[in-house]
């Protein structure tokens, strides 16, 4: 589960950097990368939830 948390942190850093580039500089390509990272974060969060529920049983 630690590996999963590390993946979520890394993906969030990618999202934050690209989202800031879009907002601050108007970089449209960064917006696309931020959206892709957001989808990856969503998938990782679902995986984390499954692992967390399984670990608490």
């Amino acid at each position: 589960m630690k590996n999963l948390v590390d993946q979520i942190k890394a993906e969030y850093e990618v999202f934050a950097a690209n989202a800031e580039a879009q907002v601050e500089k108007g970089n449209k390509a960064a917006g696309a990368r931020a959206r892709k990272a957001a989808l990856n974060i969503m998938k990782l969060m679902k995986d984390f939830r499954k692992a967390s529920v399984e670990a608490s049983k």
Side-chain angles (χ1 to χ4, degrees):
M1 184 139 61
K2 176 148 176 46
N3 184 31
L4 191 55
V5 172
D6 290 341
Q7 287 177 336
I8 292 168
K9 287 179 185 178
E11 197 66 39
Y12 180 78
E13 289 175 7
V14 170
F15 165 77
N18 284 303
E20 184 176 338
Q22 180 187 16
V23 172
E24 298 292 324
K25 300 174 186 170
N27 185 335
K28 291 181 182 181
R33 290 189 298 269
R35 290 189 298 275
K36 182 178 177 185
L39 290 174
N40 290 340
I41 291 169
M42 185 173 68
K43 179 188 175 298
L44 290 169
M45 290 299 231
K46 287 179 182 179
D47 292 344
F48 174 79
R49 185 175 187 284
K50 287 178 190 176
S52 177
V53 168
E54 190 63 34
S56 67
K57 288 184 179 179

PDB file of all heavy atoms in Angstrom, residues 25-49:
ATOM      1  N   LYS A  25       0.119  30.615 -16.870  1.00  0.00           N
ATOM      2  CA  LYS A  25       0.723  30.981 -18.154  1.00  0.00           C
ATOM      3  C   LYS A  25      -0.193  30.767 -19.347  1.00  0.00           C
ATOM      4  O   LYS A  25       0.161  31.107 -20.474  1.00  0.00           O
ATOM      5  CB  LYS A  25       2.009  30.180 -18.356  1.00  0.00           C
ATOM      6  CG  LYS A  25       3.046  30.427 -17.280  1.00  0.00           C
ATOM      7  CD  LYS A  25       4.241  29.519 -17.434  1.00  0.00           C
ATOM      8  CE  LYS A  25       5.187  29.694 -16.258  1.00  0.00           C
ATOM      9  NZ  LYS A  25       6.210  28.676 -16.252  1.00  0.00           N
ATOM     10  N   GLY A  26      -1.357  30.163 -19.115  1.00  0.00           N
ATOM     11  CA  GLY A  26      -2.277  29.906 -20.224  1.00  0.00           C
ATOM     12  C   GLY A  26      -1.805  28.805 -21.165  1.00  0.00           C
ATOM     13  O   GLY A  26      -2.195  28.769 -22.330  1.00  0.00           O
ATOM     14  N   ASN A  27      -0.985  27.906 -20.667  1.00  0.00           N
ATOM     15  CA  ASN A  27      -0.420  26.830 -21.468  1.00  0.00           C
ATOM     16  C   ASN A  27      -1.487  25.745 -21.683  1.00  0.00           C
ATOM     17  O   ASN A  27      -1.823  24.994 -20.779  1.00  0.00           O
ATOM     18  CB  ASN A  27       0.812  26.256 -20.754  1.00  0.00           C
ATOM     19  CG  ASN A  27       1.531  25.229 -21.566  1.00  0.00           C
ATOM     20  OD1 ASN A  27       0.955  24.587 -22.426  1.00  0.00           O
ATOM     21  ND2 ASN A  27       2.814  25.060 -21.281  1.00  0.00           N
ATOM     22  N   LYS A  28      -2.036  25.660 -22.897  1.00  0.00           N
ATOM     23  CA  LYS A  28      -3.116  24.719 -23.181  1.00  0.00           C
ATOM     24  C   LYS A  28      -2.648  23.260 -23.118  1.00  0.00           C
ATOM     25  O   LYS A  28      -3.387  22.390 -22.680  1.00  0.00           O
ATOM     26  CB  LYS A  28      -3.733  25.007 -24.543  1.00  0.00           C
ATOM     27  CG  LYS A  28      -4.500  26.306 -24.571  1.00  0.00           C
ATOM     28  CD  LYS A  28      -5.114  26.536 -25.941  1.00  0.00           C
ATOM     29  CE  LYS A  28      -5.830  27.876 -25.966  1.00  0.00           C
ATOM     30  NZ  LYS A  28      -6.454  28.125 -27.273  1.00  0.00           N
ATOM     31  N   ALA A  29      -1.437  22.991 -23.554  1.00  0.00           N
ATOM     32  CA  ALA A  29      -0.907  21.624 -23.510  1.00  0.00           C
ATOM     33  C   ALA A  29      -0.766  21.156 -22.064  1.00  0.00           C
ATOM     34  O   ALA A  29      -1.008  19.988 -21.749  1.00  0.00           O
ATOM     35  CB  ALA A  29       0.428  21.542 -24.226  1.00  0.00           C
ATOM     36  N   ALA A  30      -0.390  22.075 -21.182  1.00  0.00           N
ATOM     37  CA  ALA A  30      -0.276  21.725 -19.767  1.00  0.00           C
ATOM     38  C   ALA A  30      -1.649  21.369 -19.204  1.00  0.00           C
ATOM     39  O   ALA A  30      -1.761  20.490 -18.339  1.00  0.00           O
ATOM     40  CB  ALA A  30       0.340  22.871 -18.984  1.00  0.00           C
ATOM     41  N   GLY A  31      -2.688  22.020 -19.700  1.00  0.00           N
ATOM     42  CA  GLY A  31      -4.038  21.684 -19.267  1.00  0.00           C
ATOM     43  C   GLY A  31      -4.411  20.265 -19.632  1.00  0.00           C
ATOM     44  O   GLY A  31      -5.023  19.542 -18.836  1.00  0.00           O
ATOM     45  N   ALA A  32      -4.035  19.839 -20.821  1.00  0.00           N
ATOM     46  CA  ALA A  32      -4.305  18.459 -21.242  1.00  0.00           C
ATOM     47  C   ALA A  32      -3.534  17.473 -20.367  1.00  0.00           C
ATOM     48  O   ALA A  32      -4.074  16.428 -19.968  1.00  0.00           O
ATOM     49  CB  ALA A  32      -3.922  18.279 -22.706  1.00  0.00           C
ATOM     50  N   ARG A  33      -2.294  17.804 -20.052  1.00  0.00           N
ATOM     51  CA  ARG A  33      -1.500  16.926 -19.183  1.00  0.00           C
ATOM     52  C   ARG A  33      -2.098  16.880 -17.775  1.00  0.00           C
ATOM     53  O   ARG A  33      -2.119  15.829 -17.130  1.00  0.00           O
ATOM     54  CB  ARG A  33      -0.046  17.382 -19.132  1.00  0.00           C
ATOM     55  CG  ARG A  33       0.701  17.164 -20.444  1.00  0.00           C
ATOM     56  CD  ARG A  33       2.195  17.414 -20.289  1.00  0.00           C
ATOM     57  NE  ARG A  33       2.498  18.782 -19.907  1.00  0.00           N
ATOM     58  CZ  ARG A  33       2.729  19.781 -20.760  1.00  0.00           C
ATOM     59  NH1 ARG A  33       2.681  19.550 -22.067  1.00  0.00           N
ATOM     60  NH2 ARG A  33       3.024  20.987 -20.331  1.00  0.00           N
ATOM     61  N   ALA A  34      -2.590  18.007 -17.285  1.00  0.00           N
ATOM     62  CA  ALA A  34      -3.204  18.055 -15.951  1.00  0.00           C
ATOM     63  C   ALA A  34      -4.473  17.200 -15.924  1.00  0.00           C
ATOM     64  O   ALA A  34      -4.721  16.476 -14.949  1.00  0.00           O
ATOM     65  CB  ALA A  34      -3.520  19.497 -15.564  1.00  0.00           C
ATOM     66  N   ARG A  35      -5.269  17.260 -16.976  1.00  0.00           N
ATOM     67  CA  ARG A  35      -6.482  16.448 -17.031  1.00  0.00           C
ATOM     68  C   ARG A  35      -6.149  14.958 -17.052  1.00  0.00           C
ATOM     69  O   ARG A  35      -6.807  14.152 -16.390  1.00  0.00           O
ATOM     70  CB  ARG A  35      -7.334  16.826 -18.240  1.00  0.00           C
ATOM     71  CG  ARG A  35      -7.972  18.196 -18.097  1.00  0.00           C
ATOM     72  CD  ARG A  35      -8.983  18.470 -19.191  1.00  0.00           C
ATOM     73  NE  ARG A  35      -8.414  18.485 -20.536  1.00  0.00           N
ATOM     74  CZ  ARG A  35      -7.849  19.545 -21.092  1.00  0.00           C
ATOM     75  NH1 ARG A  35      -7.744  20.679 -20.433  1.00  0.00           N
ATOM     76  NH2 ARG A  35      -7.369  19.474 -22.319  1.00  0.00           N
ATOM     77  N   LYS A  36      -5.115  14.595 -17.795  1.00  0.00           N
ATOM     78  CA  LYS A  36      -4.683  13.199 -17.848  1.00  0.00           C
ATOM     79  C   LYS A  36      -4.207  12.742 -16.468  1.00  0.00           C
ATOM     80  O   LYS A  36      -4.546  11.644 -16.014  1.00  0.00           O
ATOM     81  CB  LYS A  36      -3.567  13.025 -18.880  1.00  0.00           C
ATOM     82  CG  LYS A  36      -3.099  11.597 -19.016  1.00  0.00           C
ATOM     83  CD  LYS A  36      -2.033  11.460 -20.075  1.00  0.00           C
ATOM     84  CE  LYS A  36      -1.534  10.027 -20.124  1.00  0.00           C
ATOM     85  NZ  LYS A  36      -0.429   9.857 -21.056  1.00  0.00           N
ATOM     86  N   ALA A  37      -3.444  13.588 -15.798  1.00  0.00           N
ATOM     87  CA  ALA A  37      -2.964  13.250 -14.456  1.00  0.00           C
ATOM     88  C   ALA A  37      -4.132  13.102 -13.487  1.00  0.00           C
ATOM     89  O   ALA A  37      -4.128  12.223 -12.620  1.00  0.00           O
ATOM     90  CB  ALA A  37      -1.979  14.312 -13.957  1.00  0.00           C
ATOM     91  N   ALA A  38      -5.161  13.949 -13.642  1.00  0.00           N
ATOM     92  CA  ALA A  38      -6.335  13.869 -12.771  1.00  0.00           C
ATOM     93  C   ALA A  38      -7.042  12.523 -12.948  1.00  0.00           C
ATOM     94  O   ALA A  38      -7.499  11.920 -11.966  1.00  0.00           O
ATOM     95  CB  ALA A  38      -7.282  15.018 -13.059  1.00  0.00           C
ATOM     96  N   LEU A  39      -7.140  12.048 -14.183  1.00  0.00           N
ATOM     97  CA  LEU A  39      -7.745  10.736 -14.426  1.00  0.00           C
ATOM     98  C   LEU A  39      -6.912   9.617 -13.793  1.00  0.00           C
ATOM     99  O   LEU A  39      -7.459   8.668 -13.230  1.00  0.00           O
ATOM    100  CB  LEU A  39      -7.907  10.491 -15.926  1.00  0.00           C
ATOM    101  CG  LEU A  39      -8.961  11.326 -16.619  1.00  0.00           C
ATOM    102  CD1 LEU A  39      -8.908  11.089 -18.133  1.00  0.00           C
ATOM    103  CD2 LEU A  39     -10.338  11.020 -16.081  1.00  0.00           C
ATOM    104  N   ASN A  40      -5.593   9.748 -13.890  1.00  0.00           N
ATOM    105  CA  ASN A  40      -4.714   8.745 -13.278  1.00  0.00           C
ATOM    106  C   ASN A  40      -4.851   8.756 -11.761  1.00  0.00           C
ATOM    107  O   ASN A  40      -4.850   7.704 -11.121  1.00  0.00           O
ATOM    108  CB  ASN A  40      -3.263   8.979 -13.683  1.00  0.00           C
ATOM    109  CG  ASN A  40      -3.011   8.668 -15.138  1.00  0.00           C
ATOM    110  OD1 ASN A  40      -3.770   7.954 -15.766  1.00  0.00           O
ATOM    111  ND2 ASN A  40      -1.951   9.233 -15.686  1.00  0.00           N
ATOM    112  N   ILE A  41      -4.974   9.956 -11.181  1.00  0.00           N
ATOM    113  CA  ILE A  41      -5.150  10.068  -9.730  1.00  0.00           C
ATOM    114  C   ILE A  41      -6.456   9.397  -9.318  1.00  0.00           C
ATOM    115  O   ILE A  41      -6.505   8.685  -8.315  1.00  0.00           O
ATOM    116  CB  ILE A  41      -5.122  11.546  -9.287  1.00  0.00           C
ATOM    117  CG1 ILE A  41      -3.720  12.121  -9.462  1.00  0.00           C
ATOM    118  CG2 ILE A  41      -5.582  11.688  -7.840  1.00  0.00           C
ATOM    119  CD1 ILE A  41      -3.653  13.635  -9.311  1.00  0.00           C
ATOM    120  N   MET A  42      -7.499   9.625 -10.095  1.00  0.00           N
ATOM    121  CA  MET A  42      -8.795   9.019  -9.783  1.00  0.00           C
ATOM    122  C   MET A  42      -8.684   7.495  -9.756  1.00  0.00           C
ATOM    123  O   MET A  42      -9.177   6.840  -8.834  1.00  0.00           O
ATOM    124  CB  MET A  42      -9.833   9.465 -10.800  1.00  0.00           C
ATOM    125  CG  MET A  42     -11.230   8.996 -10.502  1.00  0.00           C
ATOM    126  SD  MET A  42     -12.474   9.686 -11.602  1.00  0.00           S
ATOM    127  CE  MET A  42     -12.031   8.899 -13.144  1.00  0.00           C
ATOM    128  N   LYS A  43      -7.994   6.916 -10.732  1.00  0.00           N
ATOM    129  CA  LYS A  43      -7.823   5.466 -10.785  1.00  0.00           C
ATOM    130  C   LYS A  43      -7.015   4.980  -9.578  1.00  0.00           C
ATOM    131  O   LYS A  43      -7.384   4.007  -8.927  1.00  0.00           O
ATOM    132  CB  LYS A  43      -7.118   5.065 -12.070  1.00  0.00           C
ATOM    133  CG  LYS A  43      -6.881   3.573 -12.194  1.00  0.00           C
ATOM    134  CD  LYS A  43      -6.018   3.247 -13.395  1.00  0.00           C
ATOM    135  CE  LYS A  43      -5.669   1.790 -13.466  1.00  0.00           C
ATOM    136  NZ  LYS A  43      -4.888   1.292 -12.352  1.00  0.00           N
ATOM    137  N   LEU A  44      -5.945   5.689  -9.263  1.00  0.00           N
ATOM    138  CA  LEU A  44      -5.111   5.301  -8.126  1.00  0.00           C
ATOM    139  C   LEU A  44      -5.873   5.409  -6.809  1.00  0.00           C
ATOM    140  O   LEU A  44      -5.700   4.580  -5.912  1.00  0.00           O
ATOM    141  CB  LEU A  44      -3.844   6.155  -8.078  1.00  0.00           C
ATOM    142  CG  LEU A  44      -2.830   5.898  -9.186  1.00  0.00           C
ATOM    143  CD1 LEU A  44      -1.751   6.975  -9.180  1.00  0.00           C
ATOM    144  CD2 LEU A  44      -2.209   4.519  -9.030  1.00  0.00           C
ATOM    145  N   MET A  45      -6.728   6.415  -6.686  1.00  0.00           N
ATOM    146  CA  MET A  45      -7.519   6.568  -5.467  1.00  0.00           C
ATOM    147  C   MET A  45      -8.508   5.413  -5.307  1.00  0.00           C
ATOM    148  O   MET A  45      -8.721   4.925  -4.193  1.00  0.00           O
ATOM    149  CB  MET A  45      -8.274   7.900  -5.480  1.00  0.00           C
ATOM    150  CG  MET A  45      -7.365   9.079  -5.332  1.00  0.00           C
ATOM    151  SD  MET A  45      -6.472   9.016  -3.776  1.00  0.00           S
ATOM    152  CE  MET A  45      -6.808  10.634  -3.191  1.00  0.00           C
ATOM    153  N   LYS A  46      -9.087   4.956  -6.407  1.00  0.00           N
ATOM    154  CA  LYS A  46      -9.985   3.800  -6.344  1.00  0.00           C
ATOM    155  C   LYS A  46      -9.217   2.561  -5.907  1.00  0.00           C
ATOM    156  O   LYS A  46      -9.695   1.774  -5.089  1.00  0.00           O
ATOM    157  CB  LYS A  46     -10.660   3.566  -7.691  1.00  0.00           C
ATOM    158  CG  LYS A  46     -11.721   4.585  -8.003  1.00  0.00           C
ATOM    159  CD  LYS A  46     -12.347   4.329  -9.362  1.00  0.00           C
ATOM    160  CE  LYS A  46     -13.375   5.398  -9.689  1.00  0.00           C
ATOM    161  NZ  LYS A  46     -13.993   5.179 -11.015  1.00  0.00           N
ATOM    162  N   ASP A  47      -8.010   2.391  -6.451  1.00  0.00           N
ATOM    163  CA  ASP A  47      -7.173   1.260  -6.061  1.00  0.00           C
ATOM    164  C   ASP A  47      -6.805   1.350  -4.584  1.00  0.00           C
ATOM    165  O   ASP A  47      -6.786   0.345  -3.869  1.00  0.00           O
ATOM    166  CB  ASP A  47      -5.912   1.197  -6.913  1.00  0.00           C
ATOM    167  CG  ASP A  47      -6.192   0.849  -8.360  1.00  0.00           C
ATOM    168  OD1 ASP A  47      -7.305   0.363  -8.655  1.00  0.00           O
ATOM    169  OD2 ASP A  47      -5.299   1.075  -9.205  1.00  0.00           O
ATOM    170  N   PHE A  48      -6.515   2.566  -4.115  1.00  0.00           N
ATOM    171  CA  PHE A  48      -6.171   2.762  -2.704  1.00  0.00           C
ATOM    172  C   PHE A  48      -7.359   2.393  -1.822  1.00  0.00           C
ATOM    173  O   PHE A  48      -7.206   1.741  -0.791  1.00  0.00           O
ATOM    174  CB  PHE A  48      -5.757   4.215  -2.439  1.00  0.00           C
ATOM    175  CG  PHE A  48      -5.543   4.493  -0.976  1.00  0.00           C
ATOM    176  CD1 PHE A  48      -4.372   4.114  -0.362  1.00  0.00           C
ATOM    177  CD2 PHE A  48      -6.530   5.115  -0.221  1.00  0.00           C
ATOM    178  CE1 PHE A  48      -4.179   4.352   0.999  1.00  0.00           C
ATOM    179  CE2 PHE A  48      -6.345   5.361   1.120  1.00  0.00           C
ATOM    180  CZ  PHE A  48      -5.167   4.966   1.733  1.00  0.00           C
ATOM    181  N   ARG A  49      -8.543   2.813  -2.226  1.00  0.00           N
ATOM    182  CA  ARG A  49      -9.734   2.514  -1.437  1.00  0.00           C
ATOM    183  C   ARG A  49      -9.937   1.005  -1.328  1.00  0.00           C
ATOM    184  O   ARG A  49     -10.209   0.481  -0.244  1.00  0.00           O
ATOM    185  CB  ARG A  49     -10.966   3.162  -2.055  1.00  0.00           C
ATOM    186  CG  ARG A  49     -12.208   2.985  -1.212  1.00  0.00           C
ATOM    187  CD  ARG A  49     -13.390   3.762  -1.802  1.00  0.00           C
ATOM    188  NE  ARG A  49     -14.522   3.715  -0.918  1.00  0.00           N
ATOM    189  CZ  ARG A  49     -15.329   2.671  -0.761  1.00  0.00           C
ATOM    190  NH1 ARG A  49     -15.117   1.575  -1.447  1.00  0.00           N
ATOM    191  NH2 ARG A  49     -16.353   2.711   0.070  1.00  0.00           N
TER     192      ARG A  49
END
